[in-house]
Amino acid sequence: MTSPVAAPCTQTSNMVHDTVETNQLAWPFGTPIIDGLDQDDLRMAAYEIFFTSCRSLPGFGGRTPLSFHSSSTEFDLHASSPRPGSPVTSNIKKVLGLKTLRRLPSYRRTDSYGSNPDSPAGSPLELDASGSPGYSQFSHPRQRRPAEIMRQQMRVTEQSDNRLRKTLMRTLVGQTGRRAETIILPLELLRQQKPAEFSSPVEYHVWQRRQLKLLEAGLLRYPSIPVDKTNEFAIRLQETINACESEPLDTDRNSRAMKALCNDVVALAWRSPDGSATDVCHWADGYPLNIHLYTALLYSVFDLKDGTCVLDEIDEHYELVKKTWTTLGIDRSIHQVCFSWVLFHQYIKTGQVEADLLGASLAVLAEVANDAKKADREPIYVKMLGQGLKSMKKWCDKKLLDYHANFSRENMGLMESMLPLVSTATRILEEDVPDYTLTSHEEDDDTSSDSRGNRADLYIRSSLTKAFTKMLDDGNVNVDVVEVEEVGEALLHLAQATEELATMEKETYSPLLKKWHSIPAGVAAVTLHTCYGTLLRQYLSDSPSLTNETLEVLQRAGRLENVLIQMVVEDSVESEDGGKMIVREMEPYEVDSIIMKSIRHWVQQKLNLGKELLEKAKETETWNPKSKNEPYAQTAVELVKLTKIALDEFFEIPITIPEVLIHKIAEGLEYLLQEYTTFVSSCGSKQSYIPTLPPLTRCNRDPKFFKLWKKGGLCTAPMENLINIASTSSNEESHPRPSTSRGTQRLYIRLNTLHYLLSQLHNFDKILTLSPNIVPSNSRGHQPGNSYFDETRIGIQSATRHVSEVAGYRLIFLDSNSIFYGSIYVHGVENARIKPAVRILKQNLILLGAILIEKIQALAIKEVMKASFDVFLMILLAGGGTRVFTRQEHPMIEEDFDSLKKLFSTAGEGLLAEDLVDREAEIAEGVVALMGQSTEQLVEDFGRVSTETYGVSAVGAGQKLSMPPTTGRWSRSDPNTILRVLCHRNDQAASNYLKRTFQLPKRR
């Protein structure tokens, strides 16, 4: 059920923000809608503020006459006042170039708003003591009081006006000198107006809710002085407003709700930015509320019966509206921006028929330009300036970017008025609005790409292009779907139409655009030349051969080209360079050149298909092979297939092909292959799998774990559990399963894919090299025996090494973590040997050989070997607190490493040469040898190597050694490596040395 307090439907107001009605001119000043207030609400609120600000003047309840002051900076609007009994004349309308209404004597407003009985329109004019004209009465029958004019213009009913007058009279009893900017008007209205003054409780509730919503907008949503969210007055005010949504507020003077409302509103409105005392309240001067209210007042200057006309009383209107500036936080500069935009908006809203409104908006813009140069501009003014001018410029741009559709011989005056307006707006934006260029490029419109260039040049090119496109649509020319013969016939007719369009442009639009561009006809000719040339080239690219029809099309195109070139020459006679620059834009209609460009376009289309396939691969590739016969990614197969088909089709074209085009094709293919290679190799790095090194500590000589182990009756079960953790179960010892994860197997498919691509490069080279239709280039061309894909080949080989490395380290450090780094030598060497891990690693290598193509198995196994040696070194040097070693365990460690070496020496029937395995194992063997040295020897070697490496004095010199940095490049000559051996050495000498030298803590 609809709420009885729902806001009534409102009629269309002057301040329309509907983008459909205003032909896409959007409201530029902040939010276009004030929550809870429609346009009628804002207009009524604006009238109430206006009336309150003018209450001391005749017709508004006061006796003080309205006086004028001449100001040369305000259009020199008030140089003289109208004489008693004389027809109304307007200095502002003269300056703005607006015509006088010239109403007949019998003209009367007979709309539904009526007239105010307190304001007789026909009484004689009174003069004040100074001789200035007052407005308590008029002698001329056509003159009306400003108060009555404003009431009618603002569409305020007599009932509402009378209520407002009575409320102000009650409010200001004994306070006739009180300034309007010290009155919180909605609060006073709520206090003084009672339900009995309204026709129904529903009407009163709607009115009351409007006043509260106005307070909410001015004090909470858009305050001129920001309000903290925790402000207790703001919180209570919001609660009061929300409560009024369902039932009216009790506004009795003694009610608690009314007292609370008054306290909260006064506390919020009488704040100052710095917390000091202020003599002005702030409830309607916050942006953009104040602009909504002020523009509602400005729209009242337009005649209600003819919206294209401005009231003759605009001078008085301006002086009266100025009295609201203090309340609304408006100054002259902001007024000029708003007024210019309102004039421009009214021109659009009234059907874009009155050029005088455009001229008036331009005249105001001239004043805006002067204001924009001032140094003391407020930030809100700069913001409004940019918003308003961008709105006007954008709308004008859209019209001028298609001036053929929007202007004709009959309304060229509108275009003539619009060009200087958009030029002035653009100049102000570029010179006086900070960061305008940056923000203009972010807008989604046709003008953002040329914000600082010659606007007329942009308009000509855009409009001619759209006019040409319209000719295509009208002639149903679609070269993509019709037969080639039909396109040829259509191009003949289109050439004639293009020639006629060029003639009309030269005779109709170019003389006007000459004021804004040195060679408008030349630019138009170049644009049409380009448009027709585009279709001609597309036609020639689709035609299999040069037929008679093709020749006829080319001949007609040649005649059109001569006409357009002549236009450029004639229009460029007076230009500085004689038109050389613009002529360079005209690409001749040369058949061979067009055909060759069409072929290049065809090549680009094929490359685009390859790019689409590449993007699809990035989204859908799962690295699952189709079959054992094709153990590589299907997207690679599709890419190779697409490439072969494109090359075959290309060399079937019955023309000679310059070698430079072959190079272009090869470059395109290289790009696709290199991009795909990059995609295949995008699998992370080995570093992501290597665990973080634990902090260095020194061993306890007899760790707590081993103390528990030695205790009788408690050692058997725990040690059996440890052995089971470090090795496979008894059922798996004879037939262990590989630990290779699905992710690692997918890396193997990536390696197969890279090898597949590498194997296809030779076939591509043969196709590009052996075709008989290729014409060798005079310059340095392709040398026999060289490949077009050398860079691609190098890239694939590098990617193969990278993926092999990642696969190897993933297999060892991730998939096999539980059997290598997670278990070997944990809590003792003897009970956690490497044998179970070697057995599982052997199965992993067998699986690797089953998946990988034979030619890349050796590289992959080599990387697995490197990873295995690295993890063995990390176990010895960075094994954490669960690993300790003694010198007596060195033979077992050496034996374990030999078994690891042997595995790779025999893997895959000798895929890795024994000397290669020995070279890769040298570093690890050197570290293992350190494990067999005595603690004293290790300390001596550490001091000597540190001295040689870092220049540190010997230990005996009385200086302590500094902690060597961890480089990760382990070797027996690396100080950090020797230090780590000492950290893992379980004897008292090592522990004492580490404590004395580096103060390393014991393990916990």
Side-chain angles (χ1 to χ4, degrees):
M1 183 175 180
T2 305
S3 172
V5 297
C9 296
T10 57
Q11 57 186 327
T12 305
S13 66
N14 275 333
M15 190 167 58
V16 179
H17 302 322
D18 188 334
T19 56
V20 175
E21 183 174 339
T22 58
N23 197 13
Q24 304 303 320
L25 181 66
W27 170 260
F29 306 116
T31 176
I33 299 174
I34 302 298
D35 293 342
L37 298 171
D38 59 23
Q39 297 305 321
D40 287 342
D41 293 335
L42 291 170
R43 187 179 64 249
M44 188 62 200
Y47 177 75
E48 291 168 351
I49 294 171
F50 169 81
F51 193 95
T52 303
S53 300
C54 299
R55 71 190 187 285
S56 62
L57 300 176
F60 296 91
R63 298 178 176 275
T64 305
L66 178 67
S67 58
F68 298 94
H69 303 281
S70 177
S71 174
S72 60
T73 63
E74 298 182 7
F75 303 119
D76 196 18
L77 301 178
H78 314 299
S80 61
S81 301
R83 292 177 300 167
S86 65
V88 176
T89 59
S90 169
N91 291 311
I92 294 181
K93 295 185 78 169
K94 289 179 181 179
V95 173
L96 299 183
L98 297 171
K99 59 180 178 291
T100 302
L101 289 180
R102 299 183 184 277
R103 296 189 182 93
L104 296 175
S106 61
Y107 179 92
R108 291 290 183 273
R109 294 187 180 272
T110 59
D111 53 43
S112 61
Y113 301 101
S115 60
N116 192 333
D118 296 331
S119 305
S123 54
L125 178 69
E126 290 183 348
L127 299 179
D128 62 7
S130 63
S132 299
Y135 287 90
S136 60
Q137 48 188 340
F138 290 76
S139 60
H140 197 278
R142 289 176 293 177
Q143 290 180 326
R144 298 164 294 145
R145 289 191 177 191
E148 180 65 12
I149 294 174
M150 198 63 175
R151 184 189 69 80
Q152 293 179 353
Q153 289 296 113
M154 296 293 285
R155 304 180 185 182
V156 177
T157 64
E158 270 189 53
Q159 181 186 10
S160 298
D161 186 62
N162 287 334
R163 269 203 310 263
L164 178 62
R165 289 171 181 266
K166 293 176 182 178
T167 299
L168 289 176
M169 187 179 299
R170 290 196 295 265
T171 301
L172 301 175
V173 171
Q175 303 180 60
T176 54
R178 185 177 177 183
R179 306 197 318 273
E181 59 268 22
T182 65
I183 301 173
I184 309 174
L185 186 58
L187 181 62
E188 296 299 336
L189 294 176
L190 287 170
R191 293 171 59 185
Q192 299 296 337
Q193 293 194 13
K194 304 303 177 184
E197 299 180 42
F198 294 82
S199 60
S200 68
V202 172
E203 182 186 2
Y204 173 71
H205 189 191
V206 171
W207 173 86
Q208 186 187 82
R209 191 171 59 177
R210 171 171 71 83
Q211 301 299 338
L212 289 172
K213 285 293 182 181
L214 190 61
L215 287 173
E216 179 184 28
L219 297 176
L220 301 181
R221 293 188 179 275
Y222 311 105
S224 60
I225 302 172
V227 178
D228 191 270
K229 292 183 179 180
T230 60
N231 187 297
E232 59 179 336
F233 301 108
I235 295 173
R236 284 202 303 266
L237 177 59
Q238 187 66 67
E239 292 173 351
T240 301
I241 295 171
N242 293 340
C244 186
E245 290 291 330
S246 57
E247 59 182 14
L249 177 72
D250 182 4
T251 57
D252 186 83
R253 181 171 301 179
N254 297 320
S255 72
R256 294 178 60 185
M258 193 61 194
K259 290 180 179 179
L261 176 67
C262 292
N263 290 337
D264 296 337
V265 170
V266 169
L268 292 171
W270 285 94
R271 294 177 301 126
S272 63
D274 56 1
S276 60
T278 177
D279 60 349
V280 176
C281 61
H282 303 277
W283 67 271
D285 54 350
Y287 179 84
L289 174 64
N290 60 339
I291 304 304
H292 279 276
L293 296 170
Y294 189 66
T295 51
L297 294 174
L298 293 181
Y299 277 106
S300 65
V301 79
F302 299 107
D303 188 70
L304 287 178
K305 291 193 173 183
D306 185 357
T308 63
C309 296
V310 174
L311 298 179
D312 290 337
E313 297 85 356
I314 185 175
D315 299 57
E316 298 93 315
H317 180 278
Y318 174 69
E319 289 295 329
L320 293 173
V321 167
K322 279 175 63 176
K323 294 184 176 297
T324 67
W325 286 6
T326 307
T327 301
L328 296 177
I330 303 295
D331 58 19
R332 179 185 172 280
S333 298
I334 293 178
H335 161 79
Q336 301 287 35
V337 173
C338 293
F339 192 38
S340 178
W341 190 87
V342 165
L343 288 167
F344 182 78
H345 179 257
Q346 188 71 8
Y347 158 74
I348 298 170
K349 193 166 71 72
T350 54
Q352 306 166 43
V353 296
E354 183 55 70
D356 285 354
L357 291 176
L358 277 181
S361 181
L362 176 60
V364 179
L365 270 188
E367 295 298 316
V368 172
N370 294 332
D371 294 338
K373 297 293 184 183
K374 295 179 180 179
D376 56 344
R377 304 180 304 172
E378 294 291 335
I380 190 63
Y381 169 73
V382 177
K383 180 179 180 179
M384 287 186 57
L385 179 65
Q387 291 172 334
L389 294 186
K390 275 192 249 183
S391 171
M392 297 165 65
K393 175 181 174 296
K394 185 175 181 179
W395 191 91
C396 291
D397 279 339
K398 287 184 177 180
K399 287 292 182 182
L400 294 170
L401 287 168
D402 192 12
Y403 59 76
H404 285 86
N406 296 308
F407 305 100
S408 61
R409 294 178 186 272
E410 289 72 25
N411 64 347
M412 288 297 291
L414 295 177
M415 182 177 175
E416 188 173 6
S417 298
M418 194 174 294
L419 281 167
L421 187 145
V422 73
S423 175
T424 301
T426 302
R427 186 178 68 253
I428 297 172
L429 285 170
E430 292 177 352
E431 296 178 359
D432 303 311
V433 177
D435 301 326
Y436 162 67
T437 302
L438 175 63
T439 56
S440 66
H441 280 272
E442 294 172 354
E443 295 177 5
D444 184 17
D445 57 54
D446 295 335
T447 69
S448 61
S449 61
D450 189 18
S451 62
R452 290 185 176 273
N454 189 316
R455 306 301 299 175
D457 187 277
L458 180 64
Y459 298 149
I460 295 168
R461 294 178 188 273
S462 174
S463 187
L464 263 297
T465 300
K466 292 178 179 178
F468 187 86
T469 302
K470 186 175 184 301
M471 287 195 307
L472 293 182
D473 295 338
D474 294 343
N476 295 319
V477 180
N478 190 336
V479 294
D480 293 325
V481 298
V482 298
E483 297 296 330
V484 172
E485 293 77 9
E486 297 178 9
V487 175
E489 183 68 23
L491 284 176
L492 292 174
H493 293 294
L494 185 61
Q496 180 62 35
T498 303
E499 191 172 321
E500 293 172 358
L501 177 61
T503 301
M504 182 187 69
E505 175 74 18
K506 177 182 177 181
E507 295 175 353
T508 304
Y509 298 101
S510 294
L512 173 59
L513 292 167
K514 195 74 173 179
K515 301 175 183 178
W516 307 96
H517 198 290
S518 58
I519 45 173
V523 173
V526 170
T527 303
L528 292 175
H529 183 275
T530 301
C531 290
Y532 189 84
T534 301
L535 291 181
L536 180 64
R537 295 181 186 95
Q538 189 173 354
Y539 164 74
L540 290 174
S541 66
D542 294 337
S543 180
S545 59
L546 285 176
T547 62
N548 291 335
E549 183 183 66
T550 304
L551 282 175
E552 185 178 2
V553 170
L554 288 173
Q555 289 171 354
R556 185 64 187 86
R559 293 196 296 273
L560 171 63
E561 184 177 40
N562 290 335
V563 171
L564 296 177
I565 291 176
Q566 186 61 29
M567 276 183 61
V568 175
V569 172
E570 292 176 358
D571 200 41
S572 305
V573 172
E574 299 179 358
S575 64
E576 295 180 0
D577 63 349
K580 294 180 181 179
M581 184 67 69
I582 196 69
V583 168
R584 293 193 189 102
E585 296 186 34
M586 302 183 72
E587 187 176 352
Y589 293 162
E590 297 176 357
V591 177
D592 292 340
S593 174
I594 294 175
I595 292 178
M596 199 54 56
K597 289 178 185 278
S598 300
I599 293 177
R600 290 192 177 96
H601 179 69
W602 179 89
V603 170
Q604 188 59 47
Q605 285 182 320
K606 297 300 180 183
L607 293 177
N608 289 340
L609 290 177
K611 293 177 183 178
E612 292 175 5
L613 178 61
L614 177 60
E615 293 302 318
K616 178 182 176 183
K618 292 178 180 179
E619 297 175 359
T620 62
E621 184 57 68
T622 60
W623 308 109
N624 291 318
K626 183 178 181 181
S627 65
K628 290 184 178 181
N629 295 329
E630 294 183 355
Y632 30 74
Q634 284 303 299
T635 51
V637 177
E638 294 173 8
L639 181 61
V640 170
K641 182 179 178 181
L642 176 67
T643 302
K644 288 182 177 179
I645 292 174
L647 290 177
D648 291 341
E649 291 178 356
F650 175 76
F651 286 108
E652 287 176 1
I653 301 175
I655 60 170
T656 57
I657 303 170
E659 190 177 4
V660 65
L661 190 56
I662 300 298
H663 282 286
K664 178 178 177 59
I665 295 173
E667 289 172 2
L669 291 178
E670 272 215 305
Y671 169 79
L672 289 178
L673 294 173
Q674 289 173 0
E675 284 292 303
Y676 190 83
T677 299
T678 301
F679 163 59
V680 176
S681 62
S682 299
C683 55
S685 67
K686 70 176 185 179
Q687 297 301 328
S688 60
Y689 299 109
I690 298 176
T692 304
L693 298 181
L696 290 176
T697 58
R698 55 194 174 94
C699 291
N700 297 333
R701 185 174 182 184
D702 198 10
K704 294 179 180 180
F705 175 82
F706 292 102
K707 288 180 179 179
L708 292 175
W709 179 29
K710 292 176 181 179
K711 290 183 179 180
L714 299 177
C715 63
T716 304
M719 282 312 302
E720 288 176 352
N721 292 337
L722 288 174
I723 294 171
N724 289 335
I725 293 173
S727 62
T728 60
S729 67
S730 59
N731 292 330
E732 292 180 341
E733 284 191 7
S734 56
H735 301 287
R737 291 186 298 179
S739 61
T740 308
S741 66
R742 290 292 298 165
T744 304
Q745 293 178 41
R746 292 189 182 99
L747 291 177
Y748 295 161
I749 301 303
R750 291 178 185 247
L751 288 173
N752 288 343
T753 302
L754 290 171
H755 180 267
Y756 172 71
L757 290 178
L758 189 65
S759 66
Q760 297 298 319
L761 296 183
H762 178 67
N763 295 332
F764 297 158
D765 263 326
K766 286 178 61 178
I767 297 174
L768 291 176
T769 304
L770 301 180
S771 174
N773 294 338
I774 299 176
V775 178
S777 174
N778 293 330
S779 60
R780 185 177 62 182
H782 182 71
Q783 300 299 320
N786 291 348
S787 172
Y788 285 103
F789 303 101
D790 286 335
E791 292 185 9
T792 302
R793 183 174 287 102
I794 294 172
I796 293 177
Q797 291 169 348
S798 175
T800 302
R801 290 191 295 270
H802 172 71
V803 177
S804 297
E805 181 181 65
V806 174
Y809 276 77
R810 178 187 172 90
L811 174 64
I812 298 302
F813 283 91
L814 181 63
D815 301 348
S816 304
N817 180 66
S818 62
I819 61 172
F820 271 99
Y821 190 73
S823 64
I824 295 176
Y825 303 156
V826 171
H827 303 310
V829 174
E830 183 176 359
N831 297 297
R833 301 287 294 275
I834 202 172
K835 184 178 179 180
V838 170
R839 283 200 300 268
I840 295 177
L841 180 56
K842 183 176 181 180
Q843 296 302 315
N844 288 333
L845 295 180
I846 293 174
L847 179 60
L848 180 150
I851 297 176
L852 282 179
I853 295 172
E854 183 178 355
K855 292 186 178 180
I856 56 174
Q857 291 180 12
L859 177 60
I861 293 176
K862 177 184 175 182
E863 294 300 331
V864 174
M865 177 181 67
K866 288 182 177 180
S868 301
F869 292 168
D870 277 359
V871 77
F872 193 81
L873 287 175
M874 286 196 66
I875 291 170
L876 299 180
L877 302 174
T882 61
R883 291 183 173 93
V884 295
F885 304 103
T886 65
R887 183 180 182 186
Q888 290 73 24
E889 292 170 336
H890 169 257
M892 290 185 287
I893 296 173
E894 190 173 37
E895 180 183 350
D896 285 350
F897 186 70
D898 288 340
S899 65
L900 187 60
K901 278 180 56 180
K902 184 178 179 181
L903 173 65
F904 291 105
S905 298
T906 59
E909 299 181 357
L911 284 175
L912 299 183
E914 190 170 346
D915 59 339
L916 173 63
V917 177
D918 291 338
R919 285 197 303 272
E920 294 295 337
E922 285 179 356
I923 293 176
E925 288 174 336
V927 175
V928 171
L930 290 175
M931 306 292 290
Q933 291 183 0
S934 65
T935 299
E936 293 74 13
Q937 184 63 46
L938 288 173
V939 171
E940 180 182 346
D941 289 349
F942 176 71
R944 174 179 53 78
V945 172
S946 296
T947 302
E948 294 174 354
T949 305
Y950 305 112
V952 182
S953 301
V955 178
Q959 297 182 3
K960 290 185 178 181
L961 294 172
S962 59
M963 179 72 72
T966 300
T967 63
R969 295 188 292 273
W970 316 119
S971 73
R972 65 181 304 163
S973 59
D974 171 45
N976 187 265
T977 302
I978 301 174
L979 178 63
R980 288 178 178 273
V981 173
L982 286 169
C983 288
H984 288 77
R985 177 62 61 89
N986 188 24
D987 65 22
Q988 189 63 41
S991 178
N992 291 339
Y993 174 76
L994 294 172
K995 179 180 180 180
R996 182 177 64 254
T997 307
F998 301 111
Q999 291 78 46
L1000 290 181
K1002 286 185 178 182
R1003 298 182 184 178
R1004 297 186 182 276

